């Protein structure tokens, strides 16, 4: 089996599992640094595949495709966390270095595992209870109280796979919405706002943390991120400490997105709870494309390919807005604005709620 060098030179090949917008932007960043990219994606003519050297069109668990990707690419990363764990094992068996590694993926794929890990690492979450049947749910509600949110343990994102329970009338419908899947019941967090932190770690243990972003959701989907967020020094230090604890605890390599509930009071005490972690580049980090010298996508490529991490200081304050569905048809008007940079994902069909693009509006220099 070949041994992958710690640092990959320009001209090397990076593999990406997943052909959506995150894979596309990782590929574009890798190309700027002189790397070739191979995409593994079941949908032909994918957004990422069209900007990469090659696409292998096959299922994420196809053994032949995984073997080919592992042989072609000394390093393989992924753009979403629902990659089968067995696929990473096959890639490693084919000789590739997979980053982030299997531990990070396993933790992020299961909400119970995730919250257990986070609390053990000193990154607290809301109280939670495992739910396998209706009796578990009823006992969990007695312990946590109302309101509470029931979520599937695995999969689910952008508001999918979850149901709020605000009264006794919501219990049966919420349980039925899980469709028999193992779930976790979470206590409601009385947060003031939602923040997020984007951070990176290299194979030698060095870390780089971006300024905080403040997020606004609509219908369970991120609508707007404004960064750097206006936050006290205490909140910023606490967020950095949480990010570094997560990275170290997972022996992480690459960029991670960490969503935070800010419960801080006016007395200066910083109280942050982790909502969830994403072992990949993250929607709330898109602002870095126009607010930082080294954006989150380049940072991820640097980390997984063994390069020095780039600077994370912001040179501008940015408001990032997602364009969902047919909102992308505003592209002509948005492209005409002097303070906006448009990032289109190259998706063919603008379905309702589908992320089609984002715009970064520069609010001014730091």
């Amino acid at each position: 089996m070949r041994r992958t060098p710690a640092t990959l030179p320009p001209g090397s090949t990076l593999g990406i599992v997943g052909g959506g917008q995150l894979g596309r932007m990782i590929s574009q960043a890798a190309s700027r640094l002189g790397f070739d990219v191979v995409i593994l994606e079941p949908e032909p003519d994918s957004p990422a595949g069209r900007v990469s050297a090659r696409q292998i069109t096959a299922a994420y668990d196809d053994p032949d495709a995984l073997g080919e990707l592992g042989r072609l690419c000394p390093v393989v990363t992924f753009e979403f966390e629902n990659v089968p764990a067995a696929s990473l094992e096959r890639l490693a068996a084919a000789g590739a270095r997979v980053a982030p590694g299997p531990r990070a993926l396993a933790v992020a794929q299961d909400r119970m595992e995730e919250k257990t890990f986070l609390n053990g690492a000193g990154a607290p979450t809301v109280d939670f209870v495992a739910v396998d049947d209706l009796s578990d749910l009823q006992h969990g509600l007695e312990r946590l109280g109302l309101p509470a949110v029931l979520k599937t343990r695995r999969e689910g994102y952008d508001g999918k796979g979850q149901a709020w329970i605000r009264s006794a009338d919501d219990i049966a419908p919420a349980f039925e919405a899980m469709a028999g899947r193992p779930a976790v019941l979470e206590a409601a967090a009385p947060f003031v706002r939602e923040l997020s932190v984007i951070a990176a770690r290299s194979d030698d243990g060095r870390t780089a943390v971006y300024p905080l972003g403040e997020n606004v959701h609509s219908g369970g989907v991120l609508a707007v991120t404004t960064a750097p967020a206006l936050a006290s020094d205490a909140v910023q230090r606490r967020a950095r400490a949480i990010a570094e604890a997560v990275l170290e605890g997972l022996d992480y390599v690459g960029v991670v997105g960490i969503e935070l509930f800010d419960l801080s009071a006016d007395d200066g005490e910083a109280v942050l709870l982790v909502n969830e972690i994403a072992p990949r580049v993250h929607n709330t980090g898109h602002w870095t494309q126009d607010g930082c010298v080294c954006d989150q996508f380049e940072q991820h490529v640097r980390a997984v390919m063994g390069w020095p991490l780039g600077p994370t200081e912001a040179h501008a304050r940015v408001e990032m807005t997602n364009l969902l569905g047919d909102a992308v048809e505003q592209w002509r008007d948005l492209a005409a604005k002097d303070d906006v940079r448009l990032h289109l994902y190259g998706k063919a069909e603008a379905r309702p709620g589908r992320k089609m693009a984002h715009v970064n509006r520069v609010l001014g220099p730091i």
Side-chain angles (χ1 to χ4, degrees):
M1 183 183 296
R2 71 173 187 260
R3 184 178 182 275
T4 300
T7 301
L8 279 296
S12 301
T13 304
L14 171 64
I16 303 175
V17 179
Q21 69 265 20
L22 298 181
R24 181 184 179 96
M25 289 182 277
I26 294 171
S27 180
Q28 290 169 323
S31 296
R32 290 197 304 270
L33 297 181
F35 297 115
D36 290 330
V37 176
V38 178
I39 302 295
L40 173 61
E41 165 62 41
E43 294 297 325
D45 195 34
S46 71
R50 293 202 305 277
V51 300
S52 301
R54 181 180 175 189
Q55 175 175 325
I56 300 171
T57 304
Y60 299 131
D61 58 357
D62 184 290
D64 293 333
L66 290 164
E68 183 179 10
L69 186 68
R71 288 189 297 271
L72 290 171
C73 308
V75 175
V76 177
T77 190
F78 46 87
E79 68 147 11
F80 69 111
E81 54 266 50
N82 290 327
V83 179
S87 295
L88 299 190
E89 295 170 5
R90 285 187 178 274
L91 287 166
R97 182 172 73 212
V98 181
R103 168 71 172 145
L105 186 67
V107 165
Q109 284 182 335
D110 187 307
R111 288 188 170 93
M112 278 294 297
E113 293 285 341
E114 180 184 54
K115 284 180 166 50
T116 300
F117 159 75
L118 288 166
N119 284 280
T125 68
V126 295
D127 289 338
F128 59 99
V129 175
V131 172
D132 293 317
D133 54 36
L134 191 56
S135 177
D136 288 340
L137 177 55
Q138 290 169 335
H139 287 132
L141 289 168
E142 290 173 6
R143 176 183 154 188
L144 302 182
L146 294 175
V149 60
L150 186 64
K151 300 179 180 179
T152 55
R153 284 182 59 161
R154 302 179 71 86
E155 300 183 340
Y157 60 93
D158 287 345
K160 301 179 180 70
Q162 60 182 265
W164 276 96
I165 302 175
R166 294 182 170 87
S167 72
D169 293 339
D170 297 329
I171 296 175
F175 184 74
E176 291 171 5
M178 300 300 105
R181 293 170 291 180
V184 58
L185 182 70
E186 300 179 5
F191 60 93
V192 178
R193 58 180 176 169
E194 184 184 292
L195 301 172
S196 59
V197 60
I198 306 298
R201 183 175 181 271
S202 58
D203 189 55
D204 62 5
R206 300 189 182 193
T207 60
V209 182
Y210 287 93
L212 286 164
E214 181 171 348
N215 309 314
V216 176
H217 288 76
S218 177
V221 181
L222 178 69
V224 177
T225 294
T226 305
L230 301 178
S232 67
D233 290 344
V235 168
Q236 294 180 62
R237 286 194 301 269
R238 181 64 184 135
R240 175 179 287 273
I242 286 172
E244 291 175 344
V246 169
L247 292 168
E248 182 67 24
L250 293 174
D251 192 22
Y252 196 91
V253 176
V255 163
V256 68
I258 304 174
E259 296 179 2
L260 302 164
F261 294 134
D262 183 7
L263 284 67
S264 304
D266 294 334
D267 60 6
E269 183 182 3
V271 181
L272 299 176
L273 299 179
V274 179
N275 178 26
E276 63 182 27
I277 60 175
R280 52 172 170 79
V281 291
H282 197 251
N283 198 169
T284 64
H286 291 353
W287 71 271
T288 61
Q289 291 173 301
D290 298 291
C292 300
V293 170
C294 179
D295 66 41
Q296 65 164 343
F297 301 100
E298 179 178 327
Q299 192 78 280
H300 186 71
V301 174
R302 283 170 171 261
V304 302
M305 300 302 273
W307 283 33
L309 298 180
T312 56
E313 296 82 8
H315 58 71
R317 194 157 187 260
V318 175
E319 179 185 82
M320 188 286 302
T321 302
N322 276 328
L323 299 183
L324 306 181
D326 59 10
V328 74
E329 299 303 328
Q330 304 170 38
W331 63 267
R332 187 183 300 275
D333 292 337
L334 290 167
K337 294 181 180 296
D338 293 338
D339 61 345
V340 162
R341 189 174 181 208
L342 178 62
H343 298 264
L344 292 158
Y345 300 155
K347 296 180 179 179
E349 183 183 359
R351 297 192 298 267
R354 191 183 195 192
K355 293 175 181 175
M356 299 297 296
H358 68 269
V359 293
N360 283 338
R361 183 163 71 92
V362 178
L363 302 177
I366 297 297

